[in-house]
Amino acid sequence: VAQAQTGDQLAGRSVVISAGGTREALDPVRYLGNRSSGKQGVALAKAAAAQGAQVTLIAGAMDVQAPTHPNITVVRIESTRELLDAVLEHAQHQDALIMAAAVADFRPASATNEKIKKQDDASAPTIVLEQTEDVLRTSVEQRAAGQPLPRVIVGFAAETGDETTSPLEYGRAKLQRKGCEILVVNEVGVGKVFGQNDNDVTILFANGREELSVQGSKDVVAEAIIEQLAVALA
Ligand code: CTP
Ligand code: CA
């Protein structure tokens, strides 16, 4: 395992990073989840800590262990609601927020307290979904409303292209829509990105700074993002 490049690019800075996937309860034993491994978020936490930042890692479901590092505090969450509450609490008075978590877009509109039972007539229940809170957008909005939330907010976007629009074009539109300072775009598809060790991303900046493309391991990508974050905070 390669050691994160150490330095002092983020000395004296505090960074909140969300990682992993959210799980939305259906009943006491079942949930809707996603395939996020948590690797990119953990790599970001390690890279930020290695550059001297104080890191709060807000971690959902992950295939990888949460890192143990003197500069990293880990907060565990399960649902999008818990993630929202944790971000709004822990990101207060911090310098940066990086939303690397794979957040559910929808959750069951009602979770039951009892396990859903199978019926003898071979029928199956219909699951009604509702939209979850948008943690990134809410953070940007609450900051605009005067809350002491981070001056630099970084989003991630997993995009697929289609006949008319490239993944990058969707990413540029998402940067505008979300209102964050930096958006890291990666192209997703079957077998790509989720759970893989390599990554191919483009970093977009709201302030007109030139787009930057980065290829390599999630550690290499994390170090590039942390370097750009340090520039944005300078
Ligand atoms: N995100 C969030 N809250 C949500 C959904 C997404 O904070 N409920 C964050 C993600 O952590 C990521 C960014 O928003 O940093 C973009 O996520 P993405 O899924 O690409 O965008 P969505 O706005 O959910 O749009 P869609 O999935 O329809 O493309
Ligand atoms: Ca989404």
Side-chain angles (χ1 to χ4, degrees):
V1 180
Q3 200 57 44
Q5 221 162 337
T6 57
D8 59 4
Q9 289 178 21
L10 288 177
R13 304 293 192 192
S14 53
V15 183
V16 175
I17 299 169
S18 70
T22 58
R23 289 177 172 178
E24 306 298 333
L26 193 51
D27 69 16
V29 297
R30 303 185 179 98
Y31 59 82
L32 298 183
N34 62 64
R35 293 186 195 281
S36 172
S37 67
K39 283 178 188 165
Q40 186 66 76
V42 167
L44 283 160
K46 287 180 178 166
Q51 291 298 330
Q54 284 294 334
V55 177
T56 304
L57 179 66
I58 303 180
M62 307 196 299
D63 295 341
V64 292
Q65 295 270 350
T68 52
H69 184 288
N71 288 10
I72 304 177
T73 304
V74 180
V75 175
R76 301 301 309 222
I77 57 92
E78 191 167 285
S79 65
T80 301
R81 161 58 70 185
E82 288 172 8
L83 174 64
L84 177 67
D85 290 346
V87 165
L88 294 181
E89 178 188 341
H90 294 281
Q92 300 257 342
H93 301 290
Q94 308 289 292
D95 294 306
L97 167 65
I98 307 179
M99 284 296 301
V103 188
D105 291 332
F106 311 103
R107 70 178 151 232
S110 57
T112 60
N113 292 323
E114 304 88 43
K115 189 183 158 200
I116 299 167
K117 300 267 190 236
K118 226 167 19 178
Q119 303 298 320
D120 282 337
D121 61 1
S123 67
T126 299
I127 301 168
V128 178
L129 302 177
E130 65 182 16
Q131 277 198 25
T132 56
E133 299 81 9
D134 189 320
V135 180
L136 179 61
R137 202 193 289 215
T138 304
S139 302
V140 169
E141 283 169 4
Q142 296 221 356
R143 181 181 62 181
Q147 290 290 313
L149 289 162
R151 158 161 92 80
V152 177
I153 298 180
V154 182
F156 270 76
E159 298 294 342
T160 55
D162 52 40
E163 305 78 44
T164 58
T165 312
S166 72
L168 214 49
E169 287 169 323
Y170 278 120
R172 292 184 192 115
K174 192 168 281 180
L175 174 66
Q176 295 272 315
R177 204 159 64 236
K178 296 276 188 177
C180 54
E181 282 62 47
I182 298 175
L183 189 75
V184 181
V185 179
N186 57 17
E187 206 176 322
V188 294
V190 178
K192 266 179 129 178
V193 182
F194 278 124
Q196 308 263 306
N197 286 312
D198 270 7
N199 220 339
D200 184 344
V201 308
T202 305
I203 307 176
L204 310 183
F205 302 91
N207 69 0
R209 198 180 156 88
E210 200 183 336
E211 294 174 1
L212 191 77
S213 98
V214 186
Q215 286 93 35
S217 68
K218 290 192 174 179
D219 289 331
V220 166
V221 167
E223 279 168 16
I225 294 167
I226 292 306
E227 190 180 334
Q228 294 307 311
L229 177 61
V231 170
L233 285 171

